[in-house]
Amino acid sequence: MAARRCLSSVLLFILCTFSVFTITRCQETTLAGDNGAAAGDSSPADTEAAEQTVEQTRWEATEVTEAIPDEAAADKQDSAAPETVAPSFTPPPKDDFQEELVIRPLHSGDIYASFQFRTLWQTDFTRENKVSHYGLFPKSLGQIISKFSVRELHISFTQGYWRTMQWGQPFQPSPPGAELWVWFQDSVTDVDGTWKELANVLSGIFCASLNFIDSTNTVQPSASFKPLGIANVTDHQFLRYATLPREIVCTENLTPWKKLLPCGTKAGLAVLLKSEKLFHSSFYSQAVHIRPVCEDWQCKTTSWELRQTLNVVFDLHTSGQGKREWSLFKMFSRTLTEACPLASTSKIYIDVTDNPQGEQFELSPFTALLTQAVVLGDRRTYSVYDLTQQITFGSVRSLNLLIRWKSSEGDMLRPLLHAERYVAGYGLQTGEIHTLMYNNHPYRSFPVLLLDSVPWYLRLYIHTLTVTSKGKDNKPSYIHYQPSKDRVRPHLLEMLVQLPPNSVTEVTVEFERALLKWTEYTPDPNHGFYVGSSVISALVPSIVAMDTNRTWESPLFSSFFPCKEESSYFVRIYTEPLLVNLPTPDFSMPYNVICLTCTVVAVGYGSLYNLLTRSFQIEEPSPGLAKRLANIIRKMRGVPPL
Amino acid sequence: MAAPLTLLLLVAVTIRAALFRSCLTDLIAERVEVVSPLTAWKRVVEGLALLDLGVSPYSGDVFHETPLIIYLFHFVVDYAEVTFMLADVITAVALYMAVKDYNKQVFRKQKFALEADRYPLDCLELIRSPKEMYYIPLKVAMFYLLNPFTILSCVAKSTCGLNNAVIALFILSTIRGNVLLSAVFLSLSTYQSIYPLTLCAPALLYLMQRQYIPVNFRRASFWWFITEYAFMYLGSLSVIVCLSFFLLGSWDYLPSVYGFILSVPDLTPNIGLFWYFFAEMFEHFRLFFLCVFQINVFFYTIPLSIKLKEHPVFLIFMQLAVISIFKSYPTVGDIALYMSFLPVWSHLHRFLRNIFLVSCVLLACSALFPVLWHLWIYAGSANSNFYYAITLLFNVAQILLVSDYFYAFLRREHHLTYGLYLKRKDGSEATLILK
């Protein structure tokens, strides 16, 4: 096996400067496995066809190098650069727009589609005179940046929960509901006031309930949320983080999001974003990320980057009528006819890593372009459709990608880091939050940062915090705990925990459920209260071998989290939100309660008052009514009374 | 008398030690009747854990003990069980000694009155004999130590036991006539929970009675004594408060302890009247009713002191009862303290009107608390109204109990002045009524 790999590497180095050896490795491993399977099927013709495909792919890889020789050459120049956030090969224009769609067929049979739209603008929102001429960058967001002195803004709206164990890691993780985190410039004096105002403005822009963000669900994480762009501020007092796990995401949130795009939904990839299809899915997440990034690798000039991402997972078993077949039209009820004319690049990537010779699914129309990217520590191979090339659309002038599954086999590589969370205990008095973190790496341990923000009405008892892995106590090396204040702020718990290799680490903490005032309950109090996802941030050891020779153009989806070293990659995981029941008072009887309690107090007051003010006297029986009447008559008659 | 007391203490400690070792400890420590947010041991441990993490325990809303309690348990947290048993023993012994002294004085006064022929002739039945008074101190200690409420409170490690010990020491030093110690313990108990402040009235009355200072607003000696006591009280209170400040280096504990007691933000169910009332309160009336309910606790001090100025120890009993009924976070430990005084008033039994009914209601409620709690919280087959109804009934029973004792006390005093068998003008047997 190793010999074959060396052989193929040598061959490929002669052929091209692209490091395609992993692909071939993957191909050969899967090929070897599938050959066996094919042999089991006893169809020699199939095997032959597969071998032919391999030949073809190799040839196509060569073609890629020839198709984009200037880019490859440019890449070679700054291959020495240790780390670049943004691609740095061409002199950047003043503003720039890129769009792309990544489609990954998932092993569960679902389809993951991830849209990314990036607008780069070389401007300075913080300078004295206001920026007033907007090109591609949406004015509404630009005004927010300058008005609220925002350094970084990340907002996401998610419907559904990302199932890491079935789907692997998403490109942009997001918790169910709405999430907003913002780094402010260090010139902001009243951070809390600005934050509240910003949340209200964003609430208006995105038609969401972000105005429910207040001090009771806002925290200042000390370590989990570092700036993703260039930053000289790391003082976390300028950071605010809030989640609204109950937020329901729907069309009214998508429409304003689409309006931020330079082409709107008129052209380009955004024509696919039809809400009636998008919301008929297992998972839907839309996000906006604004951050300052470097224009070149020396960071001489900076520009503002607006990334709009939209991730959606379609469940084909419900919509495909049992047939495992997928096309752009079936998913989005649209086909593509052109790229956005304003976009400098417009591409569709289809993950074909698990399908090197098309034995799992068949892709049509066929594309010659292949690319590779290291994303989330894994080197993946993608078929590329460049929408700026007319040839992509073929003779019918429309692109309708079609994937037809051939077999439903194949197993997914288990994600190295995986987490889940649940509430244990019964009754409405106390409970216990269990967070399980799985490290599936066979031999390496790595530290993770766990962030928990728990509302005040679940009173956490930090002395009951236990962290155990492999049955042993695993003391966190760093704990940042901020206890809650009733009706003012939530609990914030951040921990740095070392996860031993191939283990499950369990974090448990007990809590007590508070009885709230009757006006503080939600309209459906017996539904329960949501507790936002805990956030696990980690540098996970990469599967890909150490390779600093970056000679390929990295697509957008792989360059979101800046990655300092190739041996490990940053990953953020959100656990399930919790739904916790609280004891409820009887909402129908405030008057009764007020009356009854006041009666009891009055009984106490009255009986003491009685004894305090009155004195003992001998009871003189009062005469009866008849006697009194008789006495009155006798008095009138002038006779002595009885 | 020392031998039965020692035996009693041994029995009490054994029961507690056995319960501490049993599996019931955790169950009892979670009961909302036994621990309140102010006194729960779990919260003390949480405060210590927060201190260990370098977080001020008062920055959150879980810990509401005073800094001295943290300081105490910082050292004795490993011996917490012993500390709580010791607190109960101290309370019982202090009450025992206090009641013994008090009984001596009662007997002496009665002797003087008899010698001065101040009692009507037919009141001889009401005169207390040394024989019946002999076992009263022991009964008091027994009522405190063997009361299931005290035992539960101790096993749950509710810091209510410590507050009770401070109050018992205050009563002892007052009855012994030690002005300084009385002021110091009163300030300590005020510092622990604001409400014992009202006990300063009976303390002043008793100490003045003891020093033969007439309660007369025109006398300089009266004002001088009040100033003296207030000076000692405020002096020791400020020393304690400043000491707490220096222990933690911040004044955060003031809003967190006293603000918490007064503004009742935590509506965890308990046996009091506050939780459901303020859970169901309309927001704009909240402050008004909060003031009304808190003033209600302090309100009775002045009229009761006027009415009972000759009987400060009964006034102490009344005040303790009023506090434990109307305070914002009552627990059964508070009830146990005033109930331990009931044997002192055993001579009032012939005048009690509804003691049978009240004791039945109290017993039934005590049994129903856990049942209805289970139905509401665990089984889900009842709702909060069930538990609330029982707290109402329990409080009505307590109010009736206290007012009954007050009635009986006043009536006995009336009889001691006017004779036991009163006649009407026409010579027939009269009935006494309040008018």
Side-chain angles (χ1 to χ4, degrees), chain B residues 349-363:
Chain B
H349 280 177
R350 61 182 292 166
F351 297 117
L352 291 177
R353 293 171 298 182
N354 38 21
I355 185 72
F356 177 70
L357 177 75
V358 165
S359 32
C360 285
V361 170
L362 283 178
L363 282 176

Side-chain angles (χ1 to χ4, degrees), chain A residues 31 63 135 147-148 162 253 268 306 417 474-476 493 500 509 525 542 574 625 631:
Chain A
L31 183 65
E63 200 186 46
K147 177 156 196 293
F148 298 107
W162 183 270
N253 307 111
L306 164 69
L417 178 64
N474 182 355
K475 202 171 154 40
L493 175 61
V509 62
S542 177
Y574 293 93
L625 185 68
N631 276 342

Side-chain angles (χ1 to χ4, degrees), chain A residues 428-429 461-463 484 486-487 489 512 515 518 585-586 589 593 597 605 612 614-615 617-619, chain B residues 30 42-43 46 59-61 265 267 276 279-281 300 307 377-378 384-385 388 424 430-431 433 435:
Chain A
L428 297 176
Q429 191 178 6
Y461 285 97
I462 196 68
H463 72 267
S484 72
D486 284 5
R487 299 174 181 89
R489 64 160 196 242
E512 198 177 273
L515 183 76
W518 70 306
D586 186 342
M589 49 179 282
V593 169
T597 310
Y605 177 81
L612 284 167
R614 298 184 181 193
S615 59
Q617 279 173 15
I618 292 168
E619 186 192 33
Chain B
E30 273 194 0
K42 203 175 177 186
R43 297 187 182 233
E46 176 72 7
S59 63
D61 249 344
L267 302 171
Y276 207 52
E280 297 267 9
M281 179 47 68
Y300 302 106
K307 189 89 175 177
I377 296 295
Y378 293 102
S384 46
N385 294 342
Y388 166 66
R424 275 200 214 125
T431 41
I433 53 157
K435 249 184 188 168

Side-chain angles (χ1 to χ4, degrees), chain B residues 148-160:
Chain B
F149 287 164
T150 326
I151 295 175
L152 288 178
S153 186
C154 178
V155 173
K157 297 191 226 169
S158 159
T159 52
C160 181

